[in-house]
Amino acid sequence: GLRIVELLADEGDSVVAGQVLARLARDTVTVQLAQNDASLARAEAGIAQARNQIVQAEATAVEARAGLARTQALKLTGNATQEILDQRISLARGAEARLAAAQDGLALAEADLAQSRAQRKELELKLARTEIRTPVSGIVSRRTARIGANTALGGDALFRIIVNGEVELEAEVLEMHLARLTVGAPVEVFAASGRSVTGRVRLLPAEVDRASRIGRVRIALPRDPDLRIGAFARARVI
């Protein structure tokens, strides 16, 4: 869903694993990161405030408990009325409630901070993905990426890479000749330019076409500028 703003590789280029092939617009992600910074700061401030409230609430609760204990002792000796005792009980309960509320506030602030940090990781990953990198070394065989185009999850691949520049010849061999072939046998391949390169049989067919009685043999080829995907060549197995 991001727009392509820069292309750094073209068809035919040799690339190495991790190399940046294209860059996407990161304006939206940058704004989201700034918003996340504000959320993190707000959550951290909320935690600090909640902790201060807990300290104050704990002090108030301790004072209320002590006052209640003194009043209960005075009530036993007849030096305090029931009304005063009820007031102390109410104050103690209120202090405990405020302490519990402060503790809940701290838990809520810590949850907000954890959520903001998780969003931060997601945004950092999204920012890293604004640089399209090749996972392998090889040769760019096709590039569908265009400046100004938007990327899409269900769209075509932006780049196609021939891993390590390896190219094969898919050779058609008549059924009667397949039994004479062996894996690793040298092969002389004649490209359209007339030049020849030496390859080797990599894979023999597991089946033969019923109609044509032809099997498809895979011949591994060396790296050569004359060998292009989709081109035709003639081969002779030695």
Side-chain angles (χ1 to χ4, degrees):
L2 299 179
R3 182 170 47 86
I4 299 173
V5 296
E6 188 177 6
L7 292 174
L8 304 174
D10 206 343
E11 293 179 359
D13 289 351
S14 295
V15 295
V16 296
Q19 180 176 333
V20 178
L21 305 181
R23 288 191 174 94
L24 309 180
R26 53 173 59 190
D27 300 346
T28 302
V29 183
T30 302
V31 171
Q32 292 174 341
L33 280 170
Q35 293 173 344
N36 181 258
D37 288 337
S39 298
L40 284 171
R42 185 167 55 250
E44 290 172 351
I47 288 176
Q49 182 179 11
R51 286 173 177 167
N52 290 334
Q53 290 175 346
I54 287 176
V55 172
Q56 295 173 359
E58 285 177 342
T60 302
V62 169
E63 183 179 355
R65 292 190 204 106
L68 176 60
R70 288 194 301 270
T71 303
Q72 288 173 334
L74 292 173
K75 181 67 169 57
L76 293 175
T77 59
N79 293 323
T81 64
Q82 182 64 40
E83 181 180 359
I84 295 176
L85 178 61
D86 291 342
Q87 291 176 351
R88 292 296 184 182
I89 292 174
S90 177
L91 289 174
R93 288 177 178 175
E96 295 293 344
R98 285 189 292 274
L99 176 59
Q103 292 171 341
D104 291 342
L106 176 60
L108 182 61
E110 289 175 341
D112 289 341
L113 180 61
Q115 182 179 9
S116 296
R117 285 175 175 170
Q119 291 173 346
R120 180 75 180 190
K121 291 181 179 179
E122 182 179 355
L123 289 172
E124 288 175 348
L125 179 60
K126 192 172 182 180
L127 182 65
R129 287 178 175 170
T130 60
E131 289 189 338
I132 307 300
R133 299 176 180 269
T134 171
V136 295
S137 299
I139 298 175
V140 180
S141 64
R142 185 179 302 176
R143 188 191 76 181
T144 60
R146 296 290 181 269
I147 294 289
N150 286 334
T151 58
L153 289 177
D156 293 334
L158 301 179
F159 296 87
R160 288 194 178 186
I161 310 295
I162 304 172
V163 180
N164 297 325
E166 294 177 353
V167 178
E168 289 186 328
L169 174 65
E170 186 181 58
E172 297 179 344
V173 180
L174 291 174
E175 179 184 13
M176 67 183 72
H177 300 313
L178 288 175
R180 300 170 57 189
L181 299 183
T182 57
V183 173
V187 182
E188 190 175 13
V189 179
F190 300 89
S193 64
R195 292 179 57 249
S196 65
V197 297
T198 300
R200 60 178 179 81
V201 176
R202 188 184 69 82
L203 185 66
L204 296 177
E207 61 180 340
V208 175
D209 185 87
R210 290 184 178 183
S212 64
R213 313 310 301 170
I214 286 176
R216 298 183 180 274
V217 179
R218 294 283 181 148
I219 298 173
L221 300 173
R223 294 186 61 171
D224 191 290
D226 284 347
L227 303 178
R228 293 179 172 83
I229 297 294
F232 286 84
R234 181 172 54 88
R236 181 175 63 191
V237 181
I238 304 170

